[in-house]
Amino acid sequence: MDVEDIEIQLFVRAMQLRHGHDFSDYAPASLKRRVLQLVQTHGTGTISELNRRVLHEEGFVGHVIQGLSVPVSEMFRDPQVFRALREKVLPVLASYPQINIWQAGCAQGQEVYSLAILLEEAGLYERSRIYATDFNDAALAAAGEGIYAARDARDWSRNYLEAGGTLSFSDYYSARYDFIKLDKRLRRNVTFFNHNLVTDVVFCEAHLILCRNVLIYFNNTLQDRTLGLFRDSLVRGGFLCLGTRENIDFSPAASGFTDVDHALRIYQVGGIGARPLTR
Amino acid sequence: MSRHDAIVIGCSAGGLTALQRLLPGLAPNLTAAVIVCCHTGSADVSLLVELLARVSALPVAEALERSHITPGMVHVAPTGYHLLIEEDHYFSLSVDEKVAWSRPSIDVLFQTAADAWRERLVAVLLTGANSDGARGLAAVRRAGGHAVVQDPEDAESDIMPRAGLEIAGADACLPLDAIAAHLNSLCLP
């Protein structure tokens, strides 16, 4: 066995036993890349030296979590997905007196604000509640701030229009120096909190769950567990939206979902053709 | 039994034309899996897949997350994601930061493929206008794999093959039209 692979296993054990973070069901290839990236960033030379700091150095685990969690996204990434949410999903959600949405793995919050804008423009935001979760506290804090680099605003404006935005993206932020700050009114019905998909359980009855490009970092076992968690969190007829290249065909838990738009990975729980749920 | 189980190919500027010349030359009975990472400007890889499928001797499809890597088939990395090879020879994807301004990155594909196939891997670096792939090629050679670089004099854009030769060196440096035959000789029984 490769020395590096032994070191990675020790790293996973150290994170688990010392800090209670379980990465053992992450997809191995990308986990290895990220751990090697941490070695570079922190100049530890070897994974073993990284492990020593994980075990002995107070506060170092925060940097490690930062390096191992879902990276930066963009506003209205894959605009056609947001267009489909606007056209196919929100009209159904409009029939509920109270709409609960779970953004799982919200990272720095770009998709949370995209969603809030979508709901605002559909006239549904007042009766919506967005639960935005991540296991990375630093990302959650950044998401709550809603401050992003101004250089991204131009791409995001284009995304916004392609997603069917009815106003101008610049109506939603104020620019200062090299940063944009999103209107804090977009946050009024958002609750940010720490939730770990690996270990935590159902916490709400959701009508829509967005979790894009998070499951790609999990192995089949953890993907299946997470999809089961989503299925159990959704009301009958509730929607799930994943990343456009994610593949859930091998997951037993996926049998509870039917396609709303397969190409865009929008699913519905307990729709026509779904097998009966065993809970 | 062939000596090599997989061929990974990386290219950027001029890559489509180069692949359209290389793929028709591969033997139709090749049992190695072929995996292509080509930087394209477009948001969707389906056009690239279609153009390659028209000329390729082997079937061509987009590399699908969590799917098993099929021998004798050309798999193309989707746009906007890094394509990684798991040790059990399945594909996985990531949206980690760009590497050498690229996602998919050739380095990421080559490095993970080197871990998965070791000496049973062939890596091919073709035309391109940046240095993505050079570090990946070095990883392939360290793991005992076979590195092929397109002759820079012959490449539409010589930056990528030159960077490959400089950083990793190569087991073979060939003009484009000689590469398919070389791959066939490495991979056929």
Side-chain angles (χ1 to χ4, degrees), chain B residues 16 20 23 45-56 60:
Chain B
L16 172 62
Q20 284 174 321
L23 294 183
V45 76
S46 57
L47 180 64
L48 176 64
V49 170
E50 195 187 315
L51 292 172
L52 296 181
R54 280 187 204 160
V55 296
S56 170
V60 184

Side-chain angles (χ1 to χ4, degrees), chain A residues 2 5 27-30 32-34 71 77 213 215-220 223 244-247 250, chain B residues 44 62 64-67 78 80-81 84-87 93-96 99 103 108 111-112 115 118:
Chain A
D2 199 72
D5 293 331
S30 54
K32 182 173 178 179
R33 274 194 61 75
R34 285 168 161 201
R77 182 179 178 162
N213 298 325
L215 301 184
I216 54 175
Y217 291 100
F218 296 171
N219 71 11
N220 288 1
Q223 183 204 41
T244 56
R245 287 296 185 272
E246 295 193 83
N247 180 3
F250 305 111
Chain B
D44 194 338
E62 181 183 329
L64 190 65
E65 200 227 348
R66 280 171 217 276
S67 64
Y81 293 81
L84 299 86
I85 312 298
E86 297 291 347
E87 300 226 339
L93 299 176
S94 98
V95 286
D96 282 2
V99 175
R103 196 173 55 208
V108 173
Q111 284 161 358
T112 55
D115 282 345
R118 322 280 324 164

Side-chain angles (χ1 to χ4, degrees), chain A residues 207-235:
Chain A
H207 302 94
L208 165 65
I209 297 176
L210 268 95
C211 183
R212 303 208 306 143
N213 298 325
V214 176
L215 301 184
I216 54 175
Y217 291 100
F218 296 171
N219 71 11
N220 288 1
T221 309
L222 184 54
Q223 183 204 41
D224 189 52
R225 181 196 124 86
T226 308
L227 285 170
L229 186 66
F230 291 162
R231 183 196 60 200
D232 294 347
S233 299
L234 285 165
V235 300

Side-chain angles (χ1 to χ4, degrees), chain A residues 164-238:
Chain A
T166 51
L167 301 167
S168 159
F169 180 55
S170 60
D171 294 337
Y172 295 101
Y173 67 81
S174 50
R176 183 161 295 180
Y177 306 109
D178 294 336
F179 296 96
I180 60 168
K181 182 166 173 46
L182 289 171
D183 187 345
K184 67 172 188 290
R185 280 179 47 79
L186 291 173
R187 212 164 55 225
R188 66 191 186 278
N189 290 340
V190 181
T191 311
F192 291 99
F193 64 97
N194 193 303
H195 180 281
N196 191 335
L197 292 170
V198 181
T199 44
D200 293 336
V201 295
V202 173
F203 63 87
C204 75
E205 195 164 70
H207 302 94
L208 165 65
I209 297 176
L210 268 95
C211 183
R212 303 208 306 143
N213 298 325
V214 176
L215 301 184
I216 54 175
Y217 291 100
F218 296 171
N219 71 11
N220 288 1
T221 309
L222 184 54
Q223 183 204 41
D224 189 52
R225 181 196 124 86
T226 308
L227 285 170
L229 186 66
F230 291 162
R231 183 196 60 200
D232 294 347
S233 299
L234 285 165
V235 300
R236 193 167 180 80

Side-chain angles (χ1 to χ4, degrees), chain A residues 34-106:
Chain A
R34 285 168 161 201
V35 172
L36 289 174
Q37 210 111 50
L38 280 168
V39 168
Q40 270 208 322
T41 310
H42 296 284
T44 61
T46 63
I47 301 169
S48 293
E49 175 58 15
L50 186 78
N51 292 348
R52 191 194 61 74
R53 296 182 67 180
V54 165
L55 290 170
H56 295 288
E57 203 174 302
E58 202 68 39
F60 186 66
V61 66
H63 299 291
V64 173
I65 293 299
Q66 187 73 7
L68 296 183
S69 65
V70 175
V72 180
S73 181
E74 50 188 276
M75 301 265 311
F76 298 98
R77 182 179 178 162
D78 305 320
Q80 69 281 19
V81 171
F82 284 90
R83 185 179 276 274
L85 289 174
R86 189 188 289 266
E87 290 168 0
K88 294 182 183 172
V89 175
L90 296 194
V92 180
L93 297 189
S95 63
Y96 295 102
Q98 159 82 36
I99 303 164
N100 292 331
I101 299 175
W102 178 13
Q103 168 86 54
C106 69

